Amino acid sequence: MFGYIVRRSVMTIPVMGVVALIVFALLHFAPGDPAAIMAGDSASPAQLAEIRARLGLDQPLHIQFFYWLGQLGQGHFGTSLHSHKPVAEMISSRIGPTLSLAVTTMTFSLLVAIPMGVYAAWARGRLSDRLVMMMAVLGFSTPVFVTGYALIYLFSLNAGWFPVQGFTPLATDPVRFLQTATLPTLTLSAVYVALIARITRSSVLEILGEDFIRTARAKGVPEARVVLRHALRNAAVPIVTVAGSGAAFLISGVVVTESVFNIPGLGRLMVESVLARDYPLIQSLMLLLSLIYILINLAVDVLYMVFDPRIRA
């Protein structure tokens, strides 16, 4: 398994190179001029040319691209065109809230969605099964920002249980952290819970129809053991797949959720950098998010081998 992980890790290097090329091309071929945004509407052509020369934007694209790659190879992510702060410093100051929100969302979603899906499969056709699936459809079809504003209206403005906006780090005040993280976590988890619950239900249902499940029941194995040990374990691969693929929903949902709840994380930083056409910051953020997504997929592939030893062959 160690050799497999090493091989997959090495394969991420050319993938990241392709991602870097695509990110660079998308930004530089998109309409808009960061020099014009920085200089303002009243800037003269000479002022625009001076800003482009100072930022290196007057160089040919291939020189800009390889200069950027060279800087990345040396661990330099560049300097923000607008704040003039190091990009690495800006990202490190914003990554804490995003990671906290991602961890609480993943934890809550898995703890809620898998039992929901297993129960719905076991109680197939009953009222409880229909209720669980109805909740899953509702959660999956409701936009993230609608869920966020609805939760703010119900639990912040009416009930007064949680703050409307803001974020407090866990290390600063654990109680306040729970208060500020609860509604964003519920908002971001709605789609994720619905997705995992539906896949868990269908996967467990398929396994419950297998011959070895009927054999286990005929031998008098307790029903809870049949469902949780035999059925759920064999249904784990598709559940892990969708949980890993759902990271894409998580990354895109973080941008919206942080904007709704005014959380100073990477999502809001991404929006701000795009509006300002801050090339070094946008490129670094997109590369970082791509790397996270690749690492999640690597973790999913490793979990395949844990849950299904036949994949090692």
Side-chain angles (χ1 to χ4, degrees):
M1 182 181 294
F2 178 74
Y4 175 79
I5 295 174
V6 171
R7 287 196 302 275
R8 286 297 310 272
S9 300
V10 172
M11 289 171 61
T12 60
I13 296 175
V15 173
M16 289 303 300
V18 174
V19 171
L21 178 61
I22 294 174
V23 168
F24 183 86
L26 284 176
L27 287 177
H28 286 77
F29 286 112
D33 184 357
I37 296 176
M38 294 176 65
D41 296 334
S42 58
S44 64
Q47 289 173 316
L48 291 177
E50 188 276 330
I51 293 175
R52 291 193 188 101
R54 177 160 49 87
L55 299 178
L57 299 176
D58 58 341
Q59 299 294 320
L61 285 180
H62 67 280
I63 293 180
Q64 294 185 47
F65 177 67
F66 286 111
Y67 176 77
W68 176 53
L69 281 186
Q71 291 292 306
L72 286 179
Q74 299 175 31
H76 300 301
F77 293 90
T79 303
S80 168
L81 299 182
H82 288 265
S83 67
H84 305 294
K85 294 180 179 177
V87 169
E89 179 183 323
M90 295 180 70
I91 292 177
S92 62
S93 66
R94 296 288 196 98
I95 199 170
T98 301
L99 280 181
S100 300
L101 185 57
V103 170
T104 55
T105 299
M106 290 284 290
T107 304
F108 178 81
S109 299
L110 293 175
L111 290 178
V112 171
I114 292 178
M116 279 178 60
V118 171
Y119 178 74
W122 179 77
R124 180 185 184 186
R126 300 178 190 173
L127 178 61
S128 53
D129 174 30
R130 298 180 190 279
L131 287 176
V132 168
M133 287 302 99
M134 186 175 68
M135 291 171 58
V137 171
L138 183 64
F140 197 71
S141 57
T142 305
V144 173
F145 72 93
V146 173
T147 306
Y149 285 125
L151 291 177
I152 289 175
Y153 178 77
L154 291 174
F155 299 109
S156 296
L157 298 180
N158 283 349
W161 294 348
F162 303 101
V164 176
Q165 293 181 328
F167 179 81
T168 301
L170 176 63
T172 303
D173 186 343
V175 176
R176 186 67 179 171
F177 167 77
L178 290 176
Q179 290 176 332
T180 54
T182 297
L183 292 188
T185 298
L186 292 177
T187 300
L188 200 51
S189 298
V191 175
Y192 216 49
V193 167
L195 180 65
I196 297 175
R198 287 178 65 86
I199 296 299
T200 302
R201 177 184 180 274
S202 61
S203 301
V204 173
L205 263 181
E206 183 180 348
I207 298 298
L208 286 176
E210 296 289 338
D211 291 339
F212 72 94
I213 294 293
R214 284 192 286 271
T215 302
R217 283 172 170 162
K219 288 182 177 179
V221 177
E223 186 65 14
R225 187 175 179 184
V226 170
V227 174
L228 297 178
R229 183 169 180 177
H230 296 283
L232 182 58
R233 180 179 177 84
N234 285 279
V237 170
I239 297 172
V240 169
T241 302
V242 77
S245 303
F249 290 102
L250 193 63
I251 292 172
S252 59
V254 161
V255 176
V256 179
T257 305
E258 289 183 354
S259 299
V260 170
F261 290 95
N262 195 26
I263 297 174
L266 292 182
R268 279 190 59 200
L269 185 62
M270 174 68 84
V271 174
E272 294 166 2
S273 62
V274 170
L275 292 177
R277 308 274 309 167
D278 197 336
Y279 284 167
L281 191 52
I282 299 172
Q283 291 170 165
S284 298
L285 283 170
M286 293 184 74
L287 276 183
L288 175 64
L289 296 178
S290 301
L291 178 62
I292 292 174
Y293 191 71
I294 290 173
L295 292 178
I296 290 174
N297 278 282
L298 175 61
V300 168
D301 288 345
V302 173
L303 287 175
Y304 282 170
M305 293 189 291
V306 173
F307 289 113
D308 190 350
R310 294 172 298 178
I311 298 178
R312 300 178 190 177

